[in-house]
Amino acid sequence: MSMFPEYWVRFETPEGPRQGYLEGDAIQPIKGDMFGLWRADGAPVPLGQSRLLAPVVPPTFYACGINYEGHWRTAAEEFGLDLEKSWPGSPEVGYRAQSAIVGPGDPIILPMDVPPNVQVEAELAVVIGRCCRHATPETAMDCIFGYTIANDVSARGWQFEDRTFWRSKNSDTFKPIGPWIRCGADLHAMETRVFVNDDLKERFATHRMIHSIADYIVAITRYITLVPGDVIIMGTDGHAPQMRPGDVVRIEIEGVGTLENPVIADRR
Amino acid sequence: MSMFPEYWVRFETPEGPRQGYLEGDAIQPIKGDMFGLWRADGAPVPLGQSRLLAPVVPPTFYACGINYEGHWRTAAEEFGLDLEKSWPGSPEVGYRAQSAIVGPGDPIILPMDVPPNVQVEAELAVVIGRCCRHATPETAMDCIFGYTIANDVSARGWQFEDRTFWRSKNSDTFKPIGPWIRCGADLHAMETRVFVNDDLKERFATHRMIHSIADYIVAITRYITLVPGDVIIMGTDGHAPQMRPGDVVRIEIEGVGTLENPVIADRR
C-alpha cells in the first residue's frame, strides 16, 4: 500500500495559503512542497472548517483547444466555423492566465459589459509533478502529479470579437480550479458531468480525447520544458452550457472530485 | 534625493536566486521582496562576478500585439497581411509563457526543426509594482514599478502555421528579459536600438506607441487585476531583424539598459 497521499489541497490560514493533504475528513498541513520535499507539520484541520483555494497556481497554464469530437461538432455548428478547418490536426496548446484563477466555491464574476453568452467548459486539468523535456509516448505520463478540475469559462461574444482570448477566457475569476489534486486516479474510469443549478447539462467520458494527454505532453516538451505545478487543461466535450448570474455551476469528474462555483454579476 | 534604488536585479547564488539592487559596481542583496517590504541583507557582491537572472518572473506575462506604426506597415507587407485589418484599433493583450524566460547573457536556443526566419522583437517591458484594477488614465502609471527589456523572439514560420503562438514565441529560451529593472526612468527620453553582431539593424523612439502604456493598463484592468511582478511587453517598431545561430543579439534602450544574448542551434 502506498503511503503517498491521494488528495492534495491548498487552503487558507491566517498566515497565508498552505499546502496539505486529506486524511479522512481533515487536512494535514505540510511543511515544504507537495511537488518536492515535504513532511506533515502541525495539527490536522477539519475539512469542513477550511476554505480551500485553487490547489495549484501554475507557473505556466496550458490549454488544449478543441479536443473532443462532440465539442468539435457542436462548436463548429454553434459558432459557424468550418468543420474541417476547425479539426485539431495536431496537439497544439494555448495559454490561460494565472490572474484569472479562483478556487472552489469562489464566485465567477461576470463583468458589467460581458456579452450574454458566457459558457461553462468542464475540463480535466493535468497537474505536472516533475520537470520534463523531450518526453516520449512511453515516458510522457511519468511527469504527471495528479488531476484536478477546471472550468474554462468562456465569454463567446468576446471570443470572436477580440484578436486573442484575453477577456473572453481570462477576465478575473474566469478560471476556477479545484477542489483538490487527486493522485493515482484512473483516467479511463472517469466521467465528466456538468450541472447548472443541479440540472445535468452534459456528461462525457473524460478520456475520449482527440489527442491524448501523452500526445500533448510529447508535443509540448519537444520545444518547452514542463515544470512542477504546471497545469494543462484538456478541453471539453459536447455542448458548453450557458451560465447566468444567480446560477451555481457544478463540475463532477468521477474519481477526481467536484468543483462548484456560484455565478454573480459584477456591480462595478 | 530619493533613497529608493534605481536598478533592481535578480542574481544567482549557491542558495538559489536572490534579489538585490545596484550600488555603484556592486549588487546589494536584500531580504524580503523588491515589490514590498525589504531591507539590505549581506555584503555587496561585485556586479562583474555575478550571473544576472531575468530580473522578474511574472505571474502573468502580457504582450501587446502590433503597437508601433512602423512595425504595423512592415509586418503587414512582410507577412502579406491586410494593412487595415491588422491595425490595432484598441489595446488588446496576448500572453507569453513563464516557461520561455531566460536572463541576460543566456543563449537563445533555436530548435532543430525551427523554420529559418526567426526574428528579434525588441520591446520595452513594463514591470508592475502594485495591485491594480479599474485604473483610470490619470492613475494608470502609478502601478508601474519600473522598466526592463524583452526580446520577443518570434519564429515566423510557426507563427502563421500554428493556431496559437505556442512554439513560435514560447519555445524554451525565446523570451530573454533583463538586464535589470530600472525605476524612475523617463519614457520620453528612451530610444530602442537593436544590434545583431554589433550592426545596428533598427532604432526607434520607445514611447511612440500606437496605444500608450496607460491605455493598455486601463484596458487590461477593466477586466483583470494586475499584481506586483506582472510584466507587459509593449511591442516593437520597424523591421524585426533575423537572427541565426552564431549571432549575438543586443537590445539597448536608452535609460533602461542593454540586453545581450547569443544565439545557438539546439543539438538535440
Side-chain angles (χ1 to χ4, degrees), chain A residues 59-60 62 85 87 92-93 95 98-99 113 133-134 158 162-164 166-167 170 172 222-225 268, chain B residues 59-60 62 85 87 92-93 95 98-99 113 133-134 158 162-164 166-167 170-172 222-225 268:
Chain A
T60 303
Y62 300 89
K85 274 192 196 158
W87 177 257
E92 285 178 31
V93 285
Y95 296 95
Q98 210 186 85
S99 55
D113 59 341
R133 180 82 202 264
H134 295 300
W158 285 339
D162 297 344
R163 284 164 204 249
T164 74
W166 73 290
R167 293 189 292 180
N170 293 314
D172 278 358
R222 185 173 168 95
Y223 304 105
I224 295 167
T225 304
R268 168 143 184 180
Chain B
T60 304
Y62 299 89
K85 275 193 197 156
W87 177 257
E92 286 178 31
V93 285
Y95 295 95
Q98 210 185 85
S99 56
D113 59 342
R133 181 83 202 263
H134 295 301
W158 285 339
D162 297 345
R163 285 165 204 248
T164 73
W166 73 290
R167 292 188 294 181
N170 293 314
S171 285
D172 278 357
R222 185 174 168 95
Y223 303 106
I224 295 166
T225 304
R268 169 144 183 180

Short mmCIF file of all heavy atoms in Angstrom, two decimals, chain A residues 59-60 62 85 87 92-93 95 98-99 113 133-134 158 162-164 166-167 170 172 222-225 268, chain B residues 59-60 62 85 87 92-93 95 98-99 113 133-134 158 162-164 166-167 170-172 222-225 268:
data_model
loop_
_atom_site.label_atom_id
_atom_site.label_comp_id
_atom_site.label_asym_id
_atom_site.label_seq_id
_atom_site.Cartn_x
_atom_site.Cartn_y
_atom_site.Cartn_z
N PRO A 59 2.92 27.91 -12.80
CA PRO A 59 3.86 28.85 -13.43
C PRO A 59 3.46 29.12 -14.88
O PRO A 59 3.40 30.26 -15.31
CB PRO A 59 5.20 28.11 -13.35
CG PRO A 59 5.04 27.14 -12.22
CD PRO A 59 3.60 26.74 -12.22
N THR A 60 3.17 28.05 -15.62
CA THR A 60 2.62 28.21 -16.97
C THR A 60 1.35 27.37 -17.05
O THR A 60 1.30 26.25 -16.55
CB THR A 60 3.65 27.79 -18.04
OG1 THR A 60 4.84 28.57 -17.87
CG2 THR A 60 3.12 28.04 -19.45
N TYR A 62 -1.34 25.85 -19.45
CA TYR A 62 -1.58 25.44 -20.83
C TYR A 62 -3.04 25.03 -21.04
O TYR A 62 -3.65 24.45 -20.15
CB TYR A 62 -0.70 24.24 -21.20
CG TYR A 62 0.78 24.51 -21.08
CD1 TYR A 62 1.46 24.30 -19.88
CD2 TYR A 62 1.50 24.99 -22.16
CE1 TYR A 62 2.82 24.55 -19.77
CE2 TYR A 62 2.86 25.25 -22.06
CZ TYR A 62 3.51 25.02 -20.86
OH TYR A 62 4.86 25.29 -20.76
N LYS A 85 -11.87 22.75 -41.14
CA LYS A 85 -10.79 23.66 -40.71
C LYS A 85 -10.64 23.70 -39.20
O LYS A 85 -9.56 23.99 -38.68
CB LYS A 85 -11.07 25.09 -41.21
CG LYS A 85 -10.55 25.34 -42.61
CD LYS A 85 -10.60 26.83 -42.92
CE LYS A 85 -10.48 27.07 -44.41
NZ LYS A 85 -11.03 28.38 -44.82
N TRP A 87 -11.00 21.18 -37.19
CA TRP A 87 -10.46 19.92 -36.67
C TRP A 87 -9.02 20.11 -36.21
O TRP A 87 -8.19 20.64 -36.95
CB TRP A 87 -10.52 18.83 -37.75
CG TRP A 87 -9.91 17.52 -37.29
CD1 TRP A 87 -8.68 17.04 -37.62
CD2 TRP A 87 -10.50 16.55 -36.43
NE1 TRP A 87 -8.46 15.83 -37.02
CE2 TRP A 87 -9.57 15.50 -36.27
CE3 TRP A 87 -11.73 16.47 -35.76
CZ2 TRP A 87 -9.82 14.38 -35.48
CZ3 TRP A 87 -11.98 15.35 -34.98
CH2 TRP A 87 -11.03 14.33 -34.84
N GLU A 92 -1.79 21.16 -30.24
CA GLU A 92 -1.19 22.49 -30.07
C GLU A 92 -1.81 23.12 -28.85
O GLU A 92 -3.00 22.98 -28.63
CB GLU A 92 -1.53 23.39 -31.26
CG GLU A 92 -0.78 23.08 -32.52
CD GLU A 92 -1.23 24.00 -33.65
OE1 GLU A 92 -1.61 25.15 -33.38
OE2 GLU A 92 -1.20 23.54 -34.79
N VAL A 93 -1.01 23.82 -28.08
CA VAL A 93 -1.55 24.44 -26.87
C VAL A 93 -1.72 25.94 -27.01
O VAL A 93 -1.01 26.60 -27.76
CB VAL A 93 -0.67 24.19 -25.63
CG1 VAL A 93 -0.84 22.77 -25.14
CG2 VAL A 93 0.78 24.53 -25.90
N TYR A 95 -2.71 29.30 -24.05
CA TYR A 95 -2.38 29.64 -22.66
C TYR A 95 -3.57 30.27 -21.97
O TYR A 95 -4.37 30.95 -22.58
CB TYR A 95 -1.20 30.62 -22.63
CG TYR A 95 0.06 30.01 -23.18
CD1 TYR A 95 0.43 30.16 -24.50
CD2 TYR A 95 0.86 29.23 -22.36
CE1 TYR A 95 1.58 29.56 -25.01
CE2 TYR A 95 2.01 28.62 -22.84
CZ TYR A 95 2.37 28.79 -24.17
OH TYR A 95 3.49 28.19 -24.66
N GLN A 98 -2.67 33.09 -15.09
CA GLN A 98 -2.69 32.90 -13.64
C GLN A 98 -3.64 33.88 -12.97
O GLN A 98 -4.29 33.57 -11.96
CB GLN A 98 -1.26 33.11 -13.11
CG GLN A 98 -0.92 32.33 -11.89
CD GLN A 98 0.44 32.68 -11.32
OE1 GLN A 98 0.60 33.62 -10.56
NE2 GLN A 98 1.43 31.91 -11.70
N SER A 99 -3.74 35.08 -13.53
CA SER A 99 -4.56 36.14 -12.94
C SER A 99 -6.03 35.78 -12.85
O SER A 99 -6.77 36.35 -12.06
CB SER A 99 -4.42 37.43 -13.76
OG SER A 99 -4.73 37.16 -15.12
N ASP A 113 -20.23 44.54 -18.70
CA ASP A 113 -20.47 44.66 -20.14
C ASP A 113 -20.19 43.37 -20.89
O ASP A 113 -19.99 43.39 -22.10
CB ASP A 113 -19.63 45.81 -20.71
CG ASP A 113 -18.14 45.60 -20.48
OD1 ASP A 113 -17.77 44.79 -19.59
OD2 ASP A 113 -17.33 46.24 -21.17
N ARG A 133 11.29 17.38 -20.40
CA ARG A 133 11.59 17.88 -21.75
C ARG A 133 11.85 16.65 -22.60
O ARG A 133 12.40 15.67 -22.14
CB ARG A 133 12.82 18.81 -21.71
CG ARG A 133 13.25 19.41 -23.04
CD ARG A 133 12.43 20.64 -23.45
NE ARG A 133 12.48 20.88 -24.89
CZ ARG A 133 13.31 21.72 -25.53
NH1 ARG A 133 14.13 22.45 -24.83
NH2 ARG A 133 13.30 21.83 -26.85
N HIS A 134 11.45 16.70 -23.87
CA HIS A 134 11.65 15.60 -24.81
C HIS A 134 11.04 14.29 -24.30
O HIS A 134 11.69 13.24 -24.31
CB HIS A 134 13.14 15.40 -25.11
CG HIS A 134 13.75 16.58 -25.83
ND1 HIS A 134 13.31 17.01 -27.06
CD2 HIS A 134 14.77 17.41 -25.49
CE1 HIS A 134 14.04 18.06 -27.45
NE2 HIS A 134 14.92 18.32 -26.52
N TRP A 158 -16.95 37.95 -26.77
CA TRP A 158 -15.59 38.47 -26.81
C TRP A 158 -14.64 37.51 -27.54
O TRP A 158 -13.66 37.94 -28.15
CB TRP A 158 -15.08 38.70 -25.39
CG TRP A 158 -15.66 39.92 -24.74
CD1 TRP A 158 -16.22 41.00 -25.37
CD2 TRP A 158 -15.71 40.20 -23.33
NE1 TRP A 158 -16.63 41.92 -24.43
CE2 TRP A 158 -16.32 41.47 -23.18
CE3 TRP A 158 -15.28 39.51 -22.19
CZ2 TRP A 158 -16.52 42.06 -21.93
CZ3 TRP A 158 -15.48 40.10 -20.95
CH2 TRP A 158 -16.10 41.36 -20.83
N ASP A 162 -12.51 39.68 -30.23
CA ASP A 162 -11.14 40.08 -29.92
C ASP A 162 -10.13 39.25 -30.72
O ASP A 162 -10.45 38.18 -31.21
CB ASP A 162 -10.87 39.90 -28.42
CG ASP A 162 -11.77 40.79 -27.55
OD1 ASP A 162 -12.38 41.73 -28.09
OD2 ASP A 162 -11.85 40.52 -26.34
N ARG A 163 -8.91 39.77 -30.80
CA ARG A 163 -7.85 39.06 -31.52
C ARG A 163 -7.32 37.87 -30.72
O ARG A 163 -6.77 36.94 -31.28
CB ARG A 163 -6.67 40.00 -31.80
CG ARG A 163 -6.94 40.96 -32.92
CD ARG A 163 -5.93 42.12 -32.90
NE ARG A 163 -6.50 43.27 -33.57
CZ ARG A 163 -6.08 43.75 -34.75
NH1 ARG A 163 -5.05 43.20 -35.36
NH2 ARG A 163 -6.67 44.77 -35.31
N THR A 164 -7.39 37.99 -29.42
CA THR A 164 -6.93 36.90 -28.55
C THR A 164 -8.05 36.56 -27.57
O THR A 164 -9.11 37.18 -27.60
CB THR A 164 -5.68 37.32 -27.74
OG1 THR A 164 -6.10 38.22 -26.70
CG2 THR A 164 -4.63 38.00 -28.61
N TRP A 166 -8.06 37.16 -24.46
CA TRP A 166 -7.73 37.80 -23.17
C TRP A 166 -8.95 38.03 -22.28
O TRP A 166 -8.98 37.55 -21.16
CB TRP A 166 -6.90 39.08 -23.38
CG TRP A 166 -7.63 40.25 -23.92
CD1 TRP A 166 -8.12 40.39 -25.19
CD2 TRP A 166 -7.96 41.47 -23.23
NE1 TRP A 166 -8.72 41.61 -25.33
CE2 TRP A 166 -8.63 42.30 -24.15
CE3 TRP A 166 -7.74 41.95 -21.96
CZ2 TRP A 166 -9.11 43.57 -23.81
CZ3 TRP A 166 -8.20 43.21 -21.63
CH2 TRP A 166 -8.88 44.01 -22.54
N ARG A 167 -9.97 38.73 -22.76
CA ARG A 167 -11.15 38.98 -21.94
C ARG A 167 -12.07 37.78 -21.89
O ARG A 167 -12.70 37.48 -20.88
CB ARG A 167 -11.98 40.13 -22.51
CG ARG A 167 -11.37 41.46 -22.47
CD ARG A 167 -12.40 42.50 -22.87
NE ARG A 167 -12.78 42.40 -24.29
CZ ARG A 167 -13.65 43.20 -24.88
NH1 ARG A 167 -14.27 44.15 -24.19
NH2 ARG A 167 -13.92 43.07 -26.17
N ASN A 170 -9.99 35.08 -19.82
CA ASN A 170 -9.08 35.43 -18.73
C ASN A 170 -9.51 36.62 -17.89
O ASN A 170 -8.71 37.17 -17.14
CB ASN A 170 -7.67 35.68 -19.28
CG ASN A 170 -7.05 34.41 -19.83
OD1 ASN A 170 -7.09 33.37 -19.20
ND2 ASN A 170 -6.49 34.50 -21.02
N ASP A 172 -10.92 38.37 -14.68
CA ASP A 172 -10.81 37.93 -13.27
C ASP A 172 -11.90 36.92 -12.94
O ASP A 172 -13.07 37.14 -13.28
CB ASP A 172 -10.97 39.14 -12.33
CG ASP A 172 -9.68 39.95 -12.15
OD1 ASP A 172 -8.64 39.58 -12.71
OD2 ASP A 172 -9.74 40.98 -11.44
N ARG A 222 8.59 18.78 -26.79
CA ARG A 222 9.54 18.84 -27.90
C ARG A 222 10.22 20.20 -27.94
O ARG A 222 11.36 20.33 -28.39
CB ARG A 222 8.77 18.57 -29.21
CG ARG A 222 9.63 18.48 -30.42
CD ARG A 222 8.80 18.04 -31.63
NE ARG A 222 9.55 18.21 -32.85
CZ ARG A 222 10.27 17.26 -33.43
NH1 ARG A 222 10.29 16.05 -32.91
NH2 ARG A 222 10.94 17.51 -34.53
N TYR A 223 9.50 21.24 -27.47
CA TYR A 223 10.01 22.61 -27.54
C TYR A 223 10.09 23.31 -26.19
O TYR A 223 10.77 24.32 -26.06
CB TYR A 223 9.11 23.45 -28.47
CG TYR A 223 8.99 22.84 -29.83
CD1 TYR A 223 7.84 22.18 -30.23
CD2 TYR A 223 10.08 22.86 -30.71
CE1 TYR A 223 7.76 21.58 -31.47
CE2 TYR A 223 10.01 22.26 -31.94
CZ TYR A 223 8.85 21.62 -32.33
OH TYR A 223 8.78 21.03 -33.55
N ILE A 224 9.34 22.80 -25.23
CA ILE A 224 9.12 23.53 -23.98
C ILE A 224 9.32 22.59 -22.80
O ILE A 224 8.89 21.44 -22.83
CB ILE A 224 7.68 24.10 -23.97
CG1 ILE A 224 7.51 25.15 -25.08
CG2 ILE A 224 7.31 24.67 -22.60
CD1 ILE A 224 6.09 25.56 -25.36
N THR A 225 9.95 23.09 -21.74
CA THR A 225 10.14 22.32 -20.51
C THR A 225 8.93 22.49 -19.60
O THR A 225 8.58 23.61 -19.24
CB THR A 225 11.41 22.79 -19.78
OG1 THR A 225 12.52 22.70 -20.67
CG2 THR A 225 11.67 21.94 -18.54
N ARG A 268 -19.72 46.66 -10.36
CA ARG A 268 -19.00 47.87 -10.77
C ARG A 268 -19.02 48.02 -12.28
O ARG A 268 -18.66 47.13 -13.01
CB ARG A 268 -17.55 47.78 -10.29
CG ARG A 268 -16.67 48.84 -10.91
CD ARG A 268 -15.66 49.34 -9.94
NE ARG A 268 -14.92 50.42 -10.60
CZ ARG A 268 -13.94 51.08 -10.04
NH1 ARG A 268 -13.60 50.82 -8.82
NH2 ARG A 268 -13.32 52.05 -10.69
N PRO B 59 4.00 36.57 -12.69
CA PRO B 59 2.87 35.66 -12.52
C PRO B 59 2.05 35.58 -13.81
O PRO B 59 1.71 34.49 -14.27
CB PRO B 59 2.07 36.32 -11.39
CG PRO B 59 3.05 37.15 -10.63
CD PRO B 59 4.05 37.62 -11.66
N THR B 60 1.74 36.73 -14.38
CA THR B 60 1.10 36.76 -15.70
C THR B 60 1.93 37.67 -16.59
O THR B 60 2.39 38.73 -16.17
CB THR B 60 -0.36 37.25 -15.60
OG1 THR B 60 -1.07 36.40 -14.69
CG2 THR B 60 -1.05 37.17 -16.96
N TYR B 62 2.02 39.59 -20.00
CA TYR B 62 1.18 40.16 -21.05
C TYR B 62 2.03 40.66 -22.21
O TYR B 62 3.13 41.16 -22.00
CB TYR B 62 0.39 41.34 -20.49
CG TYR B 62 -0.53 40.98 -19.35
CD1 TYR B 62 -0.08 41.01 -18.03
CD2 TYR B 62 -1.83 40.61 -19.59
CE1 TYR B 62 -0.92 40.68 -16.98
CE2 TYR B 62 -2.68 40.27 -18.55
CZ TYR B 62 -2.21 40.31 -17.24
OH TYR B 62 -3.04 39.97 -16.21
N LYS B 85 -6.89 45.66 -41.79
CA LYS B 85 -7.33 44.66 -40.81
C LYS B 85 -6.31 44.44 -39.70
O LYS B 85 -6.67 44.05 -38.59
CB LYS B 85 -7.60 43.32 -41.50
CG LYS B 85 -8.99 43.21 -42.09
CD LYS B 85 -9.31 41.76 -42.48
CE LYS B 85 -10.48 41.70 -43.44
NZ LYS B 85 -10.49 40.47 -44.25
N TRP B 87 -4.47 46.72 -38.35
CA TRP B 87 -4.37 47.90 -37.47
C TRP B 87 -5.00 47.58 -36.12
O TRP B 87 -6.14 47.13 -36.04
CB TRP B 87 -5.07 49.10 -38.10
CG TRP B 87 -5.07 50.31 -37.20
CD1 TRP B 87 -6.11 50.78 -36.45
CD2 TRP B 87 -3.98 51.21 -36.96
NE1 TRP B 87 -5.74 51.90 -35.76
CE2 TRP B 87 -4.44 52.20 -36.04
CE3 TRP B 87 -2.65 51.28 -37.42
CZ2 TRP B 87 -3.62 53.23 -35.58
CZ3 TRP B 87 -1.85 52.31 -36.96
CH2 TRP B 87 -2.33 53.27 -36.05
N GLU B 92 -5.44 45.48 -26.93
CA GLU B 92 -5.79 44.12 -26.53
C GLU B 92 -4.49 43.39 -26.26
O GLU B 92 -3.53 43.55 -26.98
CB GLU B 92 -6.49 43.37 -27.67
CG GLU B 92 -7.90 43.79 -27.91
CD GLU B 92 -8.49 43.01 -29.08
OE1 GLU B 92 -8.09 41.85 -29.29
OE2 GLU B 92 -9.32 43.58 -29.78
N VAL B 93 -4.49 42.55 -25.23
CA VAL B 93 -3.26 41.83 -24.90
C VAL B 93 -3.33 40.37 -25.29
O VAL B 93 -4.38 39.76 -25.33
CB VAL B 93 -2.92 41.90 -23.39
CG1 VAL B 93 -2.39 43.27 -23.03
CG2 VAL B 93 -4.11 41.50 -22.54
N TYR B 95 -0.63 36.75 -24.46
CA TYR B 95 0.14 36.24 -23.34
C TYR B 95 1.43 35.60 -23.83
O TYR B 95 1.47 35.02 -24.91
CB TYR B 95 -0.67 35.20 -22.55
CG TYR B 95 -1.89 35.82 -21.90
CD1 TYR B 95 -3.13 35.78 -22.52
CD2 TYR B 95 -1.76 36.47 -20.68
CE1 TYR B 95 -4.24 36.39 -21.93
CE2 TYR B 95 -2.86 37.07 -20.09
CZ TYR B 95 -4.10 37.02 -20.72
OH TYR B 95 -5.19 37.63 -20.14
N GLN B 98 5.78 31.96 -18.94
CA GLN B 98 6.88 31.99 -17.98
C GLN B 98 7.98 30.99 -18.36
O GLN B 98 9.16 31.23 -18.14
CB GLN B 98 6.33 31.63 -16.60
CG GLN B 98 7.05 32.27 -15.46
CD GLN B 98 6.54 31.79 -14.11
OE1 GLN B 98 6.98 30.76 -13.61
NE2 GLN B 98 5.64 32.55 -13.51
N SER B 99 7.55 29.87 -18.93
CA SER B 99 8.48 28.79 -19.29
C SER B 99 9.56 29.23 -20.28
O SER B 99 10.61 28.60 -20.37
CB SER B 99 7.71 27.61 -19.87
OG SER B 99 6.93 28.04 -20.98
N ASP B 113 14.26 21.90 -35.67
CA ASP B 113 13.34 21.96 -36.82
C ASP B 113 12.65 23.31 -36.96
O ASP B 113 11.62 23.42 -37.62
CB ASP B 113 12.29 20.84 -36.69
CG ASP B 113 11.49 20.94 -35.41
OD1 ASP B 113 11.95 21.64 -34.47
OD2 ASP B 113 10.41 20.34 -35.32
N ARG B 133 -6.69 47.44 -10.29
CA ARG B 133 -7.92 47.09 -11.02
C ARG B 133 -8.67 48.39 -11.25
O ARG B 133 -8.66 49.28 -10.41
CB ARG B 133 -8.76 46.10 -10.19
CG ARG B 133 -10.06 45.64 -10.84
CD ARG B 133 -9.88 44.50 -11.84
NE ARG B 133 -10.98 44.42 -12.80
CZ ARG B 133 -12.04 43.61 -12.68
NH1 ARG B 133 -12.13 42.77 -11.70
NH2 ARG B 133 -13.00 43.64 -13.59
N HIS B 134 -9.32 48.52 -12.39
CA HIS B 134 -10.11 49.70 -12.74
C HIS B 134 -9.26 50.97 -12.70
O HIS B 134 -9.65 51.98 -12.11
CB HIS B 134 -11.32 49.84 -11.81
CG HIS B 134 -12.32 48.73 -11.96
ND1 HIS B 134 -12.94 48.46 -13.17
CD2 HIS B 134 -12.81 47.82 -11.09
CE1 HIS B 134 -13.77 47.43 -13.01
NE2 HIS B 134 -13.69 47.02 -11.77
N TRP B 158 6.41 29.21 -37.83
CA TRP B 158 5.44 28.63 -36.89
C TRP B 158 4.30 29.61 -36.57
O TRP B 158 3.19 29.20 -36.29
CB TRP B 158 6.14 28.22 -35.60
CG TRP B 158 6.95 26.95 -35.74
CD1 TRP B 158 6.80 25.98 -36.70
CD2 TRP B 158 8.00 26.51 -34.89
NE1 TRP B 158 7.69 24.97 -36.49
CE2 TRP B 158 8.45 25.27 -35.38
CE3 TRP B 158 8.61 27.05 -33.75
CZ2 TRP B 158 9.48 24.55 -34.78
CZ3 TRP B 158 9.63 26.34 -33.15
CH2 TRP B 158 10.06 25.10 -33.66
N ASP B 162 0.77 27.65 -37.00
CA ASP B 162 0.07 27.14 -35.82
C ASP B 162 -1.16 28.00 -35.51
O ASP B 162 -1.24 29.15 -35.93
CB ASP B 162 1.01 27.13 -34.61
CG ASP B 162 2.21 26.20 -34.81
OD1 ASP B 162 2.16 25.37 -35.74
OD2 ASP B 162 3.19 26.33 -34.06
N ARG B 163 -2.06 27.43 -34.71
CA ARG B 163 -3.26 28.18 -34.31
C ARG B 163 -2.95 29.24 -33.26
O ARG B 163 -3.66 30.21 -33.11
CB ARG B 163 -4.31 27.23 -33.73
CG ARG B 163 -5.01 26.41 -34.78
CD ARG B 163 -5.76 25.23 -34.17
NE ARG B 163 -5.92 24.18 -35.16
CZ ARG B 163 -7.09 23.83 -35.67
NH1 ARG B 163 -8.20 24.37 -35.26
NH2 ARG B 163 -7.15 22.90 -36.60
N THR B 164 -1.94 28.98 -32.47
CA THR B 164 -1.56 29.95 -31.44
C THR B 164 -0.06 30.23 -31.60
O THR B 164 0.60 29.68 -32.48
CB THR B 164 -1.80 29.39 -30.02
OG1 THR B 164 -0.80 28.39 -29.74
CG2 THR B 164 -3.18 28.75 -29.89
N TRP B 166 2.23 29.27 -29.61
CA TRP B 166 2.92 28.48 -28.58
C TRP B 166 4.38 28.20 -28.92
O TRP B 166 5.27 28.55 -28.14
CB TRP B 166 2.14 27.19 -28.25
CG TRP B 166 2.17 26.11 -29.29
CD1 TRP B 166 1.55 26.14 -30.50
CD2 TRP B 166 2.84 24.85 -29.21
NE1 TRP B 166 1.79 24.97 -31.18
CE2 TRP B 166 2.57 24.18 -30.42
CE3 TRP B 166 3.63 24.23 -28.25
CZ2 TRP B 166 3.09 22.90 -30.69
CZ3 TRP B 166 4.14 22.96 -28.52
CH2 TRP B 166 3.87 22.31 -29.72
N ARG B 167 4.66 27.61 -30.09
CA ARG B 167 6.06 27.32 -30.44
C ARG B 167 6.76 28.56 -30.95
O ARG B 167 7.94 28.78 -30.72
CB ARG B 167 6.13 26.29 -31.57
CG ARG B 167 5.69 24.93 -31.22
CD ARG B 167 6.01 23.99 -32.37
NE ARG B 167 5.23 24.29 -33.58
CZ ARG B 167 5.32 23.59 -34.70
NH1 ARG B 167 6.19 22.59 -34.81
NH2 ARG B 167 4.57 23.89 -35.74
N ASN B 170 7.05 30.91 -27.73
CA ASN B 170 7.25 30.39 -26.38
C ASN B 170 8.10 29.13 -26.28
O ASN B 170 8.09 28.45 -25.25
CB ASN B 170 5.89 30.14 -25.72
CG ASN B 170 5.13 31.42 -25.48
OD1 ASN B 170 5.68 32.39 -24.98
ND2 ASN B 170 3.87 31.45 -25.85
N SER B 171 8.83 28.79 -27.34
CA SER B 171 9.79 27.70 -27.18
C SER B 171 10.78 28.10 -26.08
O SER B 171 11.04 29.29 -25.86
CB SER B 171 10.54 27.46 -28.50
OG SER B 171 9.71 26.80 -29.43
N ASP B 172 11.32 27.10 -25.40
CA ASP B 172 12.31 27.36 -24.34
C ASP B 172 13.35 28.39 -24.82
O ASP B 172 13.87 28.26 -25.94
CB ASP B 172 13.07 26.07 -23.98
CG ASP B 172 12.29 25.18 -23.00
OD1 ASP B 172 11.19 25.56 -22.54
OD2 ASP B 172 12.81 24.08 -22.68
N ARG B 222 -9.69 46.91 -16.68
CA ARG B 222 -11.16 46.94 -16.72
C ARG B 222 -11.71 45.54 -16.41
O ARG B 222 -12.79 45.40 -15.87
CB ARG B 222 -11.58 47.39 -18.12
CG ARG B 222 -13.06 47.58 -18.27
CD ARG B 222 -13.38 48.16 -19.66
NE ARG B 222 -14.79 48.09 -19.92
CZ ARG B 222 -15.64 49.08 -19.69
NH1 ARG B 222 -15.21 50.23 -19.22
NH2 ARG B 222 -16.93 48.92 -19.94
N TYR B 223 -10.92 44.50 -16.73
CA TYR B 223 -11.39 43.12 -16.56
C TYR B 223 -10.48 42.27 -15.68
O TYR B 223 -10.88 41.21 -15.21
CB TYR B 223 -11.52 42.44 -17.93
CG TYR B 223 -12.43 43.20 -18.85
CD1 TYR B 223 -11.93 43.95 -19.90
CD2 TYR B 223 -13.80 43.22 -18.61
CE1 TYR B 223 -12.76 44.70 -20.71
CE2 TYR B 223 -14.65 43.96 -19.42
CZ TYR B 223 -14.12 44.70 -20.46
OH TYR B 223 -14.96 45.44 -21.25
N ILE B 224 -9.24 42.70 -15.54
CA ILE B 224 -8.20 41.85 -14.97
C ILE B 224 -7.41 42.65 -13.93
O ILE B 224 -7.09 43.81 -14.16
CB ILE B 224 -7.26 41.35 -16.10
CG1 ILE B 224 -8.03 40.46 -17.07
CG2 ILE B 224 -6.03 40.66 -15.53
CD1 ILE B 224 -7.32 40.18 -18.37
N THR B 225 -7.07 42.00 -12.82
CA THR B 225 -6.25 42.62 -11.79
C THR B 225 -4.77 42.42 -12.10
O THR B 225 -4.32 41.27 -12.24
CB THR B 225 -6.58 42.01 -10.41
OG1 THR B 225 -7.98 42.13 -10.17
CG2 THR B 225 -5.79 42.69 -9.30
N ARG B 268 19.98 18.85 -30.03
CA ARG B 268 19.13 17.66 -29.89
C ARG B 268 18.02 17.68 -30.93
O ARG B 268 17.29 18.64 -31.03
CB ARG B 268 18.51 17.62 -28.49
CG ARG B 268 17.43 16.58 -28.39
CD ARG B 268 17.44 15.94 -27.04
NE ARG B 268 16.40 14.89 -27.03
CZ ARG B 268 16.14 14.12 -26.00
NH1 ARG B 268 16.82 14.23 -24.92
NH2 ARG B 268 15.20 13.20 -26.08
#
